[in-house]
Amino acid sequence: MHFDVVIVGAGQGGAYAAIQLRQLGFEGTIALIGRESEPPYERPPLSKEYMLGEKEWERLLIRPADFWAGKGIELLLGAEVTTVAASERQVTLGDGRVVGFGELIWATGGDPRPLSCPGATLAGVHGVRTRADADAILGELSGVSRVCIVGGGYIGLEAAAVLRKLGKEVTLLEVLPRVLARVAGPQLSAFYEQEHRAHGVDLRTETGVVEILGEDRVSGVRLSDDSVVDCQMVIVGIGIIPAVAPLLLAGAAGGNGVDVDEYCRTVLPHVWAIGDCAAHASRFADGAVIRLESVQNANDMASCVAKAITGDPQPYGATPWFWSNQYDLKLQTVGLSIGHDATVLRGDPQARSFSVIYLKAGKMIAIDAVNSIKDYVQARKLVEEGAVIAPEDLADTSRPLKELPRG
């Protein structure tokens, strides 16, 4: 088999790359290779609307199942690339099939990082990354009254909110001093800790897991303080491991993901990488090499590569943005708060509608807006410009952000 473009990874980035190529008039052959048997689907709703039963499976599909054939995009599903031969422009699948390519787009994302403690492979221990993961959790919930969640990032907090709505007793463990410590400041962390506790979550920070207890199935979790939490299910949300091993073995540069340049090219000829697995230098992180795990990043990188392949190369420089839905709270973020040296609280957390603005050397670098859509929308341009606005003006909710005087 040979295709003009082979895309490895049938998630958000891979699917959007194929769609963009066709929208930009690319007429060559395209193959989309995915490990799962399902056609491309959205992953963020898995830990929210899908688990709550508010969004059925068909509504998660990025495009209707018959879309791909209609666009001349061949889906090779239930297949995993095990080796890459860049000089020969070939990839080999787990079943031995060899697929040739003109251009290769690597969009594999990552796999849930597992616990390394004893008992981590017991039945009832789950990650949340695929439909199969979500279905496995849902299939067991009827026999579960208590759930222990390991990890106080977005996945862990969203899962906690969903499980409380479903009537389960929830203990959430975070080894760091606060939740969301890697992505937000202390004010936002404190707010979400308070909210989850108010909804009945037993939230414990600075608490690690020593052992998962049980015979054939989870019965509890032994903690770093030697106490035990009884539970019938454990959900692990401690990050992902980028799925890039075949690329690195083929000679691509990287470590935490695969390194790409401003056009999402790896050092291997005719090989690109996008999405969660692509490590790139970001002007929003002062040029540091980072990975961004977001739908926005996957889509924008896909668009960057599609434009380059179709003869219109434009460097990747999209503004990062994220969101998280927990209970009736909508968190929307623009920019990266990495390295901030000051924060401004805009609004009142007790009113459950406020923003935290992050500054570095006086410049606005990011905002976390909770139930504050106007702030989120108006802050985008300010973050992109690195606007300098007096902190007392930023805190003044009587004036819209877009009308504040620049310093």
PDB file of all heavy atoms in Angstrom, residues 304-338:
ATOM      1  N   CYS A 304      -1.609  23.949  10.241  1.00  0.00           N
ATOM      2  CA  CYS A 304      -0.264  24.383   9.861  1.00  0.00           C
ATOM      3  C   CYS A 304       0.375  23.394   8.898  1.00  0.00           C
ATOM      4  O   CYS A 304       0.930  23.785   7.859  1.00  0.00           O
ATOM      5  CB  CYS A 304       0.586  24.529  11.129  1.00  0.00           C
ATOM      6  SG  CYS A 304       2.325  24.929  10.831  1.00  0.00           S
ATOM      7  N   VAL A 305       0.297  22.098   9.208  1.00  0.00           N
ATOM      8  CA  VAL A 305       0.908  21.076   8.356  1.00  0.00           C
ATOM      9  C   VAL A 305       0.179  20.968   7.026  1.00  0.00           C
ATOM     10  O   VAL A 305       0.805  20.851   5.960  1.00  0.00           O
ATOM     11  CB  VAL A 305       0.931  19.718   9.081  1.00  0.00           C
ATOM     12  CG1 VAL A 305       1.371  18.600   8.131  1.00  0.00           C
ATOM     13  CG2 VAL A 305       1.862  19.783  10.282  1.00  0.00           C
ATOM     14  N   ALA A 306      -1.147  21.016   7.054  1.00  0.00           N
ATOM     15  CA  ALA A 306      -1.912  20.915   5.813  1.00  0.00           C
ATOM     16  C   ALA A 306      -1.555  22.057   4.869  1.00  0.00           C
ATOM     17  O   ALA A 306      -1.405  21.856   3.653  1.00  0.00           O
ATOM     18  CB  ALA A 306      -3.406  20.909   6.117  1.00  0.00           C
ATOM     19  N   LYS A 307      -1.399  23.261   5.412  1.00  0.00           N
ATOM     20  CA  LYS A 307      -1.023  24.403   4.571  1.00  0.00           C
ATOM     21  C   LYS A 307       0.373  24.205   3.982  1.00  0.00           C
ATOM     22  O   LYS A 307       0.620  24.510   2.803  1.00  0.00           O
ATOM     23  CB  LYS A 307      -1.082  25.685   5.381  1.00  0.00           C
ATOM     24  CG  LYS A 307      -2.506  26.138   5.706  1.00  0.00           C
ATOM     25  CD  LYS A 307      -2.511  27.349   6.628  1.00  0.00           C
ATOM     26  CE  LYS A 307      -3.938  27.755   6.965  1.00  0.00           C
ATOM     27  NZ  LYS A 307      -3.976  28.889   7.941  1.00  0.00           N
ATOM     28  N   ALA A 308       1.295  23.702   4.775  1.00  0.00           N
ATOM     29  CA  ALA A 308       2.655  23.495   4.287  1.00  0.00           C
ATOM     30  C   ALA A 308       2.683  22.441   3.183  1.00  0.00           C
ATOM     31  O   ALA A 308       3.353  22.613   2.152  1.00  0.00           O
ATOM     32  CB  ALA A 308       3.564  23.080   5.442  1.00  0.00           C
ATOM     33  N   ILE A 309       1.956  21.353   3.356  1.00  0.00           N
ATOM     34  CA  ILE A 309       1.934  20.286   2.358  1.00  0.00           C
ATOM     35  C   ILE A 309       1.302  20.763   1.058  1.00  0.00           C
ATOM     36  O   ILE A 309       1.698  20.333  -0.040  1.00  0.00           O
ATOM     37  CB  ILE A 309       1.205  19.048   2.929  1.00  0.00           C
ATOM     38  CG1 ILE A 309       2.073  18.383   4.008  1.00  0.00           C
ATOM     39  CG2 ILE A 309       0.860  18.044   1.827  1.00  0.00           C
ATOM     40  CD1 ILE A 309       1.406  17.217   4.715  1.00  0.00           C
ATOM     41  N   THR A 310       0.344  21.668   1.160  1.00  0.00           N
ATOM     42  CA  THR A 310      -0.330  22.165  -0.047  1.00  0.00           C
ATOM     43  C   THR A 310       0.322  23.435  -0.603  1.00  0.00           C
ATOM     44  O   THR A 310      -0.267  24.130  -1.426  1.00  0.00           O
ATOM     45  CB  THR A 310      -1.822  22.426   0.233  1.00  0.00           C
ATOM     46  OG1 THR A 310      -1.955  23.303   1.359  1.00  0.00           O
ATOM     47  CG2 THR A 310      -2.556  21.125   0.514  1.00  0.00           C
ATOM     48  N   GLY A 311       1.537  23.741  -0.146  1.00  0.00           N
ATOM     49  CA  GLY A 311       2.297  24.807  -0.765  1.00  0.00           C
ATOM     50  C   GLY A 311       2.133  26.195  -0.191  1.00  0.00           C
ATOM     51  O   GLY A 311       2.542  27.174  -0.814  1.00  0.00           O
ATOM     52  N   ASP A 312       1.566  26.296   1.030  1.00  0.00           N
ATOM     53  CA  ASP A 312       1.373  27.608   1.655  1.00  0.00           C
ATOM     54  C   ASP A 312       1.899  27.567   3.085  1.00  0.00           C
ATOM     55  O   ASP A 312       1.132  27.702   4.046  1.00  0.00           O
ATOM     56  CB  ASP A 312      -0.104  27.986   1.629  1.00  0.00           C
ATOM     57  CG  ASP A 312      -0.366  29.373   2.223  1.00  0.00           C
ATOM     58  OD1 ASP A 312       0.558  30.208   2.209  1.00  0.00           O
ATOM     59  OD2 ASP A 312      -1.493  29.600   2.701  1.00  0.00           O
ATOM     60  N   PRO A 313       3.208  27.362   3.273  1.00  0.00           N
ATOM     61  CA  PRO A 313       3.742  27.210   4.627  1.00  0.00           C
ATOM     62  C   PRO A 313       3.591  28.474   5.463  1.00  0.00           C
ATOM     63  O   PRO A 313       3.940  29.567   5.017  1.00  0.00           O
ATOM     64  CB  PRO A 313       5.220  26.877   4.385  1.00  0.00           C
ATOM     65  CG  PRO A 313       5.525  27.427   3.025  1.00  0.00           C
ATOM     66  CD  PRO A 313       4.259  27.275   2.230  1.00  0.00           C
ATOM     67  N   GLN A 314       3.044  28.317   6.654  1.00  0.00           N
ATOM     68  CA  GLN A 314       2.888  29.423   7.605  1.00  0.00           C
ATOM     69  C   GLN A 314       3.284  28.905   8.988  1.00  0.00           C
ATOM     70  O   GLN A 314       2.787  27.873   9.416  1.00  0.00           O
ATOM     71  CB  GLN A 314       1.438  29.924   7.627  1.00  0.00           C
ATOM     72  CG  GLN A 314       0.945  30.474   6.302  1.00  0.00           C
ATOM     73  CD  GLN A 314      -0.508  30.921   6.367  1.00  0.00           C
ATOM     74  OE1 GLN A 314      -1.039  31.201   7.435  1.00  0.00           O
ATOM     75  NE2 GLN A 314      -1.159  30.982   5.216  1.00  0.00           N
ATOM     76  N   PRO A 315       4.194  29.594   9.664  1.00  0.00           N
ATOM     77  CA  PRO A 315       4.662  29.093  10.963  1.00  0.00           C
ATOM     78  C   PRO A 315       3.536  29.009  11.987  1.00  0.00           C
ATOM     79  O   PRO A 315       2.625  29.825  11.992  1.00  0.00           O
ATOM     80  CB  PRO A 315       5.732  30.109  11.383  1.00  0.00           C
ATOM     81  CG  PRO A 315       5.436  31.336  10.580  1.00  0.00           C
ATOM     82  CD  PRO A 315       4.835  30.865   9.294  1.00  0.00           C
ATOM     83  N   TYR A 316       3.639  28.010  12.846  1.00  0.00           N
ATOM     84  CA  TYR A 316       2.642  27.813  13.893  1.00  0.00           C
ATOM     85  C   TYR A 316       2.864  28.836  15.011  1.00  0.00           C
ATOM     86  O   TYR A 316       3.959  28.952  15.546  1.00  0.00           O
ATOM     87  CB  TYR A 316       2.748  26.401  14.470  1.00  0.00           C
ATOM     88  CG  TYR A 316       1.818  26.147  15.635  1.00  0.00           C
ATOM     89  CD1 TYR A 316       0.465  25.941  15.417  1.00  0.00           C
ATOM     90  CD2 TYR A 316       2.287  26.122  16.947  1.00  0.00           C
ATOM     91  CE1 TYR A 316      -0.404  25.713  16.476  1.00  0.00           C
ATOM     92  CE2 TYR A 316       1.432  25.901  18.011  1.00  0.00           C
ATOM     93  CZ  TYR A 316       0.089  25.693  17.768  1.00  0.00           C
ATOM     94  OH  TYR A 316      -0.771  25.477  18.811  1.00  0.00           O
ATOM     95  N   GLY A 317       1.821  29.560  15.352  1.00  0.00           N
ATOM     96  CA  GLY A 317       1.931  30.534  16.434  1.00  0.00           C
ATOM     97  C   GLY A 317       0.593  30.807  17.078  1.00  0.00           C
ATOM     98  O   GLY A 317       0.350  31.901  17.585  1.00  0.00           O
ATOM     99  N   ALA A 318      -0.282  29.821  17.061  1.00  0.00           N
ATOM    100  CA  ALA A 318      -1.647  30.001  17.561  1.00  0.00           C
ATOM    101  C   ALA A 318      -1.655  30.295  19.063  1.00  0.00           C
ATOM    102  O   ALA A 318      -0.816  29.800  19.815  1.00  0.00           O
ATOM    103  CB  ALA A 318      -2.475  28.755  17.271  1.00  0.00           C
ATOM    104  N   THR A 319      -2.617  31.094  19.470  1.00  0.00           N
ATOM    105  CA  THR A 319      -2.785  31.419  20.882  1.00  0.00           C
ATOM    106  C   THR A 319      -3.377  30.234  21.632  1.00  0.00           C
ATOM    107  O   THR A 319      -4.434  29.719  21.252  1.00  0.00           O
ATOM    108  CB  THR A 319      -3.726  32.626  21.046  1.00  0.00           C
ATOM    109  OG1 THR A 319      -3.211  33.717  20.282  1.00  0.00           O
ATOM    110  CG2 THR A 319      -3.855  33.027  22.505  1.00  0.00           C
ATOM    111  N   PRO A 320      -2.727  29.754  22.690  1.00  0.00           N
ATOM    112  CA  PRO A 320      -3.280  28.607  23.436  1.00  0.00           C
ATOM    113  C   PRO A 320      -4.574  28.979  24.160  1.00  0.00           C
ATOM    114  O   PRO A 320      -4.680  30.056  24.743  1.00  0.00           O
ATOM    115  CB  PRO A 320      -2.176  28.279  24.450  1.00  0.00           C
ATOM    116  CG  PRO A 320      -0.949  28.978  23.954  1.00  0.00           C
ATOM    117  CD  PRO A 320      -1.437  30.188  23.216  1.00  0.00           C
ATOM    118  N   TRP A 321      -5.537  28.093  24.106  1.00  0.00           N
ATOM    119  CA  TRP A 321      -6.738  28.258  24.923  1.00  0.00           C
ATOM    120  C   TRP A 321      -7.262  26.894  25.339  1.00  0.00           C
ATOM    121  O   TRP A 321      -7.022  25.891  24.674  1.00  0.00           O
ATOM    122  CB  TRP A 321      -7.823  29.076  24.230  1.00  0.00           C
ATOM    123  CG  TRP A 321      -8.305  28.584  22.889  1.00  0.00           C
ATOM    124  CD1 TRP A 321      -7.836  28.930  21.666  1.00  0.00           C
ATOM    125  CD2 TRP A 321      -9.375  27.659  22.650  1.00  0.00           C
ATOM    126  NE1 TRP A 321      -8.533  28.279  20.674  1.00  0.00           N
ATOM    127  CE2 TRP A 321      -9.479  27.500  21.256  1.00  0.00           C
ATOM    128  CE3 TRP A 321     -10.256  26.950  23.480  1.00  0.00           C
ATOM    129  CZ2 TRP A 321     -10.422  26.648  20.656  1.00  0.00           C
ATOM    130  CZ3 TRP A 321     -11.195  26.102  22.898  1.00  0.00           C
ATOM    131  CH2 TRP A 321     -11.277  25.964  21.504  1.00  0.00           C
ATOM    132  N   PHE A 322      -7.925  26.855  26.466  1.00  0.00           N
ATOM    133  CA  PHE A 322      -8.379  25.605  27.085  1.00  0.00           C
ATOM    134  C   PHE A 322      -9.728  25.846  27.745  1.00  0.00           C
ATOM    135  O   PHE A 322     -10.133  26.984  27.962  1.00  0.00           O
ATOM    136  CB  PHE A 322      -7.383  25.132  28.159  1.00  0.00           C
ATOM    137  CG  PHE A 322      -5.937  25.196  27.758  1.00  0.00           C
ATOM    138  CD1 PHE A 322      -5.212  26.368  27.914  1.00  0.00           C
ATOM    139  CD2 PHE A 322      -5.300  24.083  27.237  1.00  0.00           C
ATOM    140  CE1 PHE A 322      -3.874  26.442  27.543  1.00  0.00           C
ATOM    141  CE2 PHE A 322      -3.962  24.133  26.864  1.00  0.00           C
ATOM    142  CZ  PHE A 322      -3.256  25.310  27.016  1.00  0.00           C
ATOM    143  N   TRP A 323     -10.383  24.750  28.096  1.00  0.00           N
ATOM    144  CA  TRP A 323     -11.617  24.878  28.867  1.00  0.00           C
ATOM    145  C   TRP A 323     -11.812  23.641  29.731  1.00  0.00           C
ATOM    146  O   TRP A 323     -11.247  22.578  29.471  1.00  0.00           O
ATOM    147  CB  TRP A 323     -12.833  25.085  27.954  1.00  0.00           C
ATOM    148  CG  TRP A 323     -13.356  23.825  27.331  1.00  0.00           C
ATOM    149  CD1 TRP A 323     -14.342  23.000  27.805  1.00  0.00           C
ATOM    150  CD2 TRP A 323     -12.906  23.212  26.113  1.00  0.00           C
ATOM    151  NE1 TRP A 323     -14.535  21.940  26.966  1.00  0.00           N
ATOM    152  CE2 TRP A 323     -13.665  22.046  25.922  1.00  0.00           C
ATOM    153  CE3 TRP A 323     -11.917  23.543  25.165  1.00  0.00           C
ATOM    154  CZ2 TRP A 323     -13.475  21.206  24.815  1.00  0.00           C
ATOM    155  CZ3 TRP A 323     -11.733  22.709  24.074  1.00  0.00           C
ATOM    156  CH2 TRP A 323     -12.513  21.562  23.916  1.00  0.00           C
ATOM    157  N   SER A 324     -12.618  23.795  30.760  1.00  0.00           N
ATOM    158  CA  SER A 324     -12.976  22.670  31.618  1.00  0.00           C
ATOM    159  C   SER A 324     -14.345  22.933  32.219  1.00  0.00           C
ATOM    160  O   SER A 324     -14.597  24.022  32.746  1.00  0.00           O
ATOM    161  CB  SER A 324     -11.948  22.490  32.741  1.00  0.00           C
ATOM    162  OG  SER A 324     -12.329  21.434  33.611  1.00  0.00           O
ATOM    163  N   ASN A 325     -15.236  21.939  32.148  1.00  0.00           N
ATOM    164  CA  ASN A 325     -16.569  22.042  32.737  1.00  0.00           C
ATOM    165  C   ASN A 325     -16.644  21.153  33.971  1.00  0.00           C
ATOM    166  O   ASN A 325     -16.408  19.941  33.887  1.00  0.00           O
ATOM    167  CB  ASN A 325     -17.644  21.616  31.735  1.00  0.00           C
ATOM    168  CG  ASN A 325     -17.708  22.551  30.543  1.00  0.00           C
ATOM    169  OD1 ASN A 325     -17.447  23.740  30.667  1.00  0.00           O
ATOM    170  ND2 ASN A 325     -18.034  22.016  29.378  1.00  0.00           N
ATOM    171  N   GLN A 326     -16.962  21.754  35.104  1.00  0.00           N
ATOM    172  CA  GLN A 326     -17.121  21.020  36.357  1.00  0.00           C
ATOM    173  C   GLN A 326     -18.347  21.566  37.085  1.00  0.00           C
ATOM    174  O   GLN A 326     -18.420  22.768  37.342  1.00  0.00           O
ATOM    175  CB  GLN A 326     -15.873  21.163  37.235  1.00  0.00           C
ATOM    176  CG  GLN A 326     -14.597  20.641  36.582  1.00  0.00           C
ATOM    177  CD  GLN A 326     -13.362  21.067  37.310  1.00  0.00           C
ATOM    178  OE1 GLN A 326     -13.299  21.039  38.540  1.00  0.00           O
ATOM    179  NE2 GLN A 326     -12.330  21.479  36.574  1.00  0.00           N
ATOM    180  N   TYR A 327     -19.298  20.676  37.409  1.00  0.00           N
ATOM    181  CA  TYR A 327     -20.576  21.099  37.994  1.00  0.00           C
ATOM    182  C   TYR A 327     -21.197  22.157  37.069  1.00  0.00           C
ATOM    183  O   TYR A 327     -21.320  21.926  35.866  1.00  0.00           O
ATOM    184  CB  TYR A 327     -20.378  21.605  39.432  1.00  0.00           C
ATOM    185  CG  TYR A 327     -19.641  20.625  40.308  1.00  0.00           C
ATOM    186  CD1 TYR A 327     -18.344  20.884  40.771  1.00  0.00           C
ATOM    187  CD2 TYR A 327     -20.211  19.407  40.665  1.00  0.00           C
ATOM    188  CE1 TYR A 327     -17.668  19.978  41.566  1.00  0.00           C
ATOM    189  CE2 TYR A 327     -19.541  18.486  41.460  1.00  0.00           C
ATOM    190  CZ  TYR A 327     -18.270  18.773  41.908  1.00  0.00           C
ATOM    191  OH  TYR A 327     -17.595  17.872  42.674  1.00  0.00           O
ATOM    192  N   ASP A 328     -21.549  23.321  37.616  1.00  0.00           N
ATOM    193  CA  ASP A 328     -22.096  24.383  36.769  1.00  0.00           C
ATOM    194  C   ASP A 328     -21.049  25.457  36.495  1.00  0.00           C
ATOM    195  O   ASP A 328     -21.375  26.604  36.180  1.00  0.00           O
ATOM    196  CB  ASP A 328     -23.326  25.011  37.422  1.00  0.00           C
ATOM    197  CG  ASP A 328     -23.007  25.616  38.782  1.00  0.00           C
ATOM    198  OD1 ASP A 328     -21.981  25.230  39.390  1.00  0.00           O
ATOM    199  OD2 ASP A 328     -23.776  26.475  39.247  1.00  0.00           O
ATOM    200  N   LEU A 329     -19.791  25.085  36.601  1.00  0.00           N
ATOM    201  CA  LEU A 329     -18.680  26.023  36.410  1.00  0.00           C
ATOM    202  C   LEU A 329     -18.016  25.791  35.060  1.00  0.00           C
ATOM    203  O   LEU A 329     -17.639  24.667  34.740  1.00  0.00           O
ATOM    204  CB  LEU A 329     -17.632  25.851  37.516  1.00  0.00           C
ATOM    205  CG  LEU A 329     -18.125  26.045  38.952  1.00  0.00           C
ATOM    206  CD1 LEU A 329     -17.064  25.573  39.932  1.00  0.00           C
ATOM    207  CD2 LEU A 329     -18.479  27.508  39.191  1.00  0.00           C
ATOM    208  N   LYS A 330     -17.869  26.861  34.298  1.00  0.00           N
ATOM    209  CA  LYS A 330     -17.163  26.784  33.020  1.00  0.00           C
ATOM    210  C   LYS A 330     -15.881  27.585  33.148  1.00  0.00           C
ATOM    211  O   LYS A 330     -15.914  28.813  33.251  1.00  0.00           O
ATOM    212  CB  LYS A 330     -18.020  27.327  31.875  1.00  0.00           C
ATOM    213  CG  LYS A 330     -17.381  27.121  30.497  1.00  0.00           C
ATOM    214  CD  LYS A 330     -18.321  27.548  29.387  1.00  0.00           C
ATOM    215  CE  LYS A 330     -17.767  27.191  28.017  1.00  0.00           C
ATOM    216  NZ  LYS A 330     -17.664  25.743  27.786  1.00  0.00           N
ATOM    217  N   LEU A 331     -14.770  26.884  33.145  1.00  0.00           N
ATOM    218  CA  LEU A 331     -13.461  27.521  33.184  1.00  0.00           C
ATOM    219  C   LEU A 331     -12.925  27.657  31.765  1.00  0.00           C
ATOM    220  O   LEU A 331     -12.868  26.675  31.013  1.00  0.00           O
ATOM    221  CB  LEU A 331     -12.497  26.682  34.023  1.00  0.00           C
ATOM    222  CG  LEU A 331     -11.015  27.059  33.955  1.00  0.00           C
ATOM    223  CD1 LEU A 331     -10.790  28.470  34.493  1.00  0.00           C
ATOM    224  CD2 LEU A 331     -10.169  26.044  34.713  1.00  0.00           C
ATOM    225  N   GLN A 332     -12.543  28.865  31.382  1.00  0.00           N
ATOM    226  CA  GLN A 332     -11.965  29.134  30.069  1.00  0.00           C
ATOM    227  C   GLN A 332     -10.643  29.869  30.266  1.00  0.00           C
ATOM    228  O   GLN A 332     -10.574  30.858  30.990  1.00  0.00           O
ATOM    229  CB  GLN A 332     -12.919  29.976  29.218  1.00  0.00           C
ATOM    230  CG  GLN A 332     -14.231  29.256  28.902  1.00  0.00           C
ATOM    231  CD  GLN A 332     -15.258  30.187  28.301  1.00  0.00           C
ATOM    232  OE1 GLN A 332     -15.769  31.071  28.967  1.00  0.00           O
ATOM    233  NE2 GLN A 332     -15.571  29.988  27.024  1.00  0.00           N
ATOM    234  N   THR A 333      -9.624  29.383  29.598  1.00  0.00           N
ATOM    235  CA  THR A 333      -8.270  29.915  29.764  1.00  0.00           C
ATOM    236  C   THR A 333      -7.716  30.371  28.428  1.00  0.00           C
ATOM    237  O   THR A 333      -7.895  29.698  27.410  1.00  0.00           O
ATOM    238  CB  THR A 333      -7.347  28.831  30.359  1.00  0.00           C
ATOM    239  OG1 THR A 333      -7.808  28.471  31.653  1.00  0.00           O
ATOM    240  CG2 THR A 333      -5.916  29.334  30.461  1.00  0.00           C
ATOM    241  N   VAL A 334      -7.045  31.509  28.431  1.00  0.00           N
ATOM    242  CA  VAL A 334      -6.285  31.983  27.270  1.00  0.00           C
ATOM    243  C   VAL A 334      -4.856  32.231  27.715  1.00  0.00           C
ATOM    244  O   VAL A 334      -4.627  32.837  28.776  1.00  0.00           O
ATOM    245  CB  VAL A 334      -6.864  33.293  26.690  1.00  0.00           C
ATOM    246  CG1 VAL A 334      -5.986  33.792  25.544  1.00  0.00           C
ATOM    247  CG2 VAL A 334      -8.276  33.096  26.185  1.00  0.00           C
ATOM    248  N   GLY A 335      -3.896  31.774  26.913  1.00  0.00           N
ATOM    249  CA  GLY A 335      -2.493  31.987  27.229  1.00  0.00           C
ATOM    250  C   GLY A 335      -1.946  30.927  28.165  1.00  0.00           C
ATOM    251  O   GLY A 335      -2.625  29.960  28.527  1.00  0.00           O
ATOM    252  N   LEU A 336      -0.694  31.117  28.568  1.00  0.00           N
ATOM    253  CA  LEU A 336      -0.012  30.199  29.478  1.00  0.00           C
ATOM    254  C   LEU A 336       0.502  30.995  30.672  1.00  0.00           C
ATOM    255  O   LEU A 336       1.200  32.006  30.492  1.00  0.00           O
ATOM    256  CB  LEU A 336       1.154  29.505  28.776  1.00  0.00           C
ATOM    257  CG  LEU A 336       0.816  28.681  27.529  1.00  0.00           C
ATOM    258  CD1 LEU A 336       2.096  28.169  26.869  1.00  0.00           C
ATOM    259  CD2 LEU A 336      -0.115  27.527  27.874  1.00  0.00           C
ATOM    260  N   SER A 337       0.189  30.542  31.867  1.00  0.00           N
ATOM    261  CA  SER A 337       0.593  31.273  33.069  1.00  0.00           C
ATOM    262  C   SER A 337       2.000  30.903  33.526  1.00  0.00           C
ATOM    263  O   SER A 337       2.450  31.365  34.580  1.00  0.00           O
ATOM    264  CB  SER A 337      -0.409  31.019  34.193  1.00  0.00           C
ATOM    265  OG  SER A 337      -0.481  29.636  34.501  1.00  0.00           O
ATOM    266  N   ILE A 338       2.708  30.098  32.731  1.00  0.00           N
ATOM    267  CA  ILE A 338       4.066  29.675  33.079  1.00  0.00           C
ATOM    268  C   ILE A 338       4.945  30.893  33.365  1.00  0.00           C
ATOM    269  O   ILE A 338       5.031  31.816  32.569  1.00  0.00           O
ATOM    270  CB  ILE A 338       4.684  28.865  31.918  1.00  0.00           C
ATOM    271  CG1 ILE A 338       3.855  27.608  31.632  1.00  0.00           C
ATOM    272  CG2 ILE A 338       6.125  28.491  32.216  1.00  0.00           C
ATOM    273  CD1 ILE A 338       4.257  26.908  30.347  1.00  0.00           C
TER     274      ILE A 338
END
